[in-house]
Amino acid sequence: MHSQSIENWRHPHVFLGADHARNEWRTWIVVALTTIMMVGEIVAGMAFGSMALLADGFHMATHAGALSIAGFAYWYARRHAHDERFSFGTGKLGELAGYSSAVILAIVALMIGVESVLRLTAPVPIRFTEAIFVAVIGLIVNLASAWFLHAGGGEDRNHHHDHEHAQDDDHHHHGHDDHNLRSAYFHVLTDALTSVLAIVALLAGRFYGWLFMDPLMGIVGSVVIARWSWGLLKGAGAVLLDMKPDKATANDIRTTLEQNGDRVADLHLWRVGPGHMAAIVSIISDRPQEPAHYKARLARFSKLSHVTVEVHPCRHIKKAA
């Protein structure tokens, strides 16, 4: 025992997603595309005297900032993955970035809603031809960006395929969503949605004179964006608060460990990164085994990346009713 280095007993705490590097560079490419489109809309708005284009350009600036947060989170998590100051690694940094982006989404939804209501009461002149042209270009860019980010989210599907023979929680893909990537995806979808609604409203105004359609579509968009924001806030917030990723997984772990008179007195299960969960288990038994024995029972749970087991001897154990 004394001849072995303590390093032989240490283990890494790198809980980054399997596609972390790919998602990082995809996010930065989308940041570049969004920034280019933002500058283009602002320049076009100034050139054509269109307040609508200027407003949408500055609106895209908020998304460019939020996407930059996602990119920075990927970079920081990767760079500090081995930093011992982070007790369970930097895998949850993406959740913090996702939560922050969800707050920005909520603010964007509120701004669009307020502006739309104001325009219902006080319509503004719109240069339809230029506005439609730029909105179509924006839609194309946003759809390309959304496809790019969605193609980077293949981690869940790949993990499911690789571990479909296991009897654990792998089929609950929401247990290891990359909320940082989801936040970037939702920001791009938000831009795409506003572009679609803007095109519909502009066409209705251009050919039918329905000027009210522009602010009405804005209100519809703000409601949809708010719903996306709320879903992302709940998902990322649950991880940040160390909520159990899935009740079925916790029950399965308990059932796996409670054999031959062993009982689970306490079980803590939480997510430490995309595709990674940690567990602390307290076992009481009248015939206690070494912790390694119980860890071996949990080997089939492929997402359990960090397991701590404590064993307490106790005779005449009775399972609670």
Side-chain angles (χ1 to χ4, degrees), residues 30-309:
V30 172
V31 168
L33 290 174
T34 303
T35 302
I36 292 172
M37 191 62 215
M38 173 197 73
V39 173
E41 285 195 334
I42 292 176
V43 171
M46 294 176 65
F48 301 139
S50 172
M51 285 302 298
L53 289 180
L54 276 174
D56 194 52
F58 287 113
H59 158 75
M60 288 193 71
T62 63
H63 291 294
L67 289 166
S68 297
I69 291 176
F72 177 77
Y74 279 125
W75 170 82
Y76 190 91
R78 172 176 51 82
R79 181 172 182 180
H80 295 274
H82 298 278
D83 192 331
E84 294 187 355
R85 292 178 301 171
F86 299 94
S87 298
F88 287 95
T90 56
K92 288 170 64 174
L93 188 64
E95 312 300 333
L96 181 60
Y99 190 91
S100 301
S101 292
V103 173
I104 295 176
L105 269 179
I107 295 174
V108 168
L110 180 62
M111 291 173 60
I112 293 176
V114 171
E115 179 66 20
S116 297
V117 171
L118 292 177
R119 290 197 178 190
L120 271 177
T121 58
V124 297
I126 301 174
R127 297 177 63 175
F128 292 105
T129 303
E130 295 89 343
I132 291 173
F133 176 73
V134 177
V136 169
I137 295 177
L139 176 60
I140 294 173
V141 172
N142 290 324
L143 289 178
S145 299
W147 174 85
F148 202 62
L149 289 175
H150 184 69
E155 174 186 346
D156 294 341
R157 295 185 296 274
N158 294 336
H159 276 298
H160 173 74
H161 176 74
D162 293 341
H163 303 293
E164 61 184 0
H165 61 279
Q167 300 297 315
D168 60 8
D169 177 52
D170 287 355
H171 62 284
H172 296 284
H173 65 276
H174 60 272
H176 52 275
D177 280 341
D178 187 335
H179 286 110
N180 195 30
L181 186 68
R182 283 187 65 203
S183 69
Y185 183 62
F186 280 154
H187 276 282
V188 172
L189 278 187
T190 295
D191 281 332
L193 174 67
T194 54
S195 295
V196 169
L197 295 177
I199 292 172
V200 172
L202 291 169
L203 288 174
R206 171 70 175 81
F207 294 105
Y208 299 102
W210 296 348
L211 299 182
F212 68 90
M213 285 291 290
D214 184 61
L216 181 61
M217 290 297 99
I219 294 174
V220 172
S222 68
V223 172
V224 175
I225 296 168
R227 286 178 58 85
W228 288 345
S229 172
W230 176 243
L232 189 56
L233 283 170
K234 289 198 300 182
V239 177
L240 292 173
L241 291 174
D242 294 332
M243 292 181 65
K244 288 181 180 178
D246 189 87
K247 186 177 180 180
T249 303
N251 291 337
D252 201 3
I253 290 174
R254 186 181 297 272
T255 301
T256 300
L257 291 174
E258 292 188 334
Q259 301 177 18
N260 303 320
D262 298 332
R263 294 291 178 264
V264 174
D266 199 10
L267 170 62
H268 299 279
L269 181 69
W270 71 101
R271 204 178 92 161
V272 290
H276 298 280
M277 290 189 294
I280 298 177
V281 187
S282 178
I283 298 175
I284 53 177
S285 175
D286 56 358
R287 289 178 293 176
Q289 303 290 327
E290 291 292 325
H293 171 80
Y294 300 101
K295 288 184 178 182
R297 291 184 187 177
L298 299 176
R300 67 184 180 85
F301 293 88
S302 59
K303 298 300 181 294
L304 280 181
S305 303
H306 192 286
V307 179
T308 302
V309 177

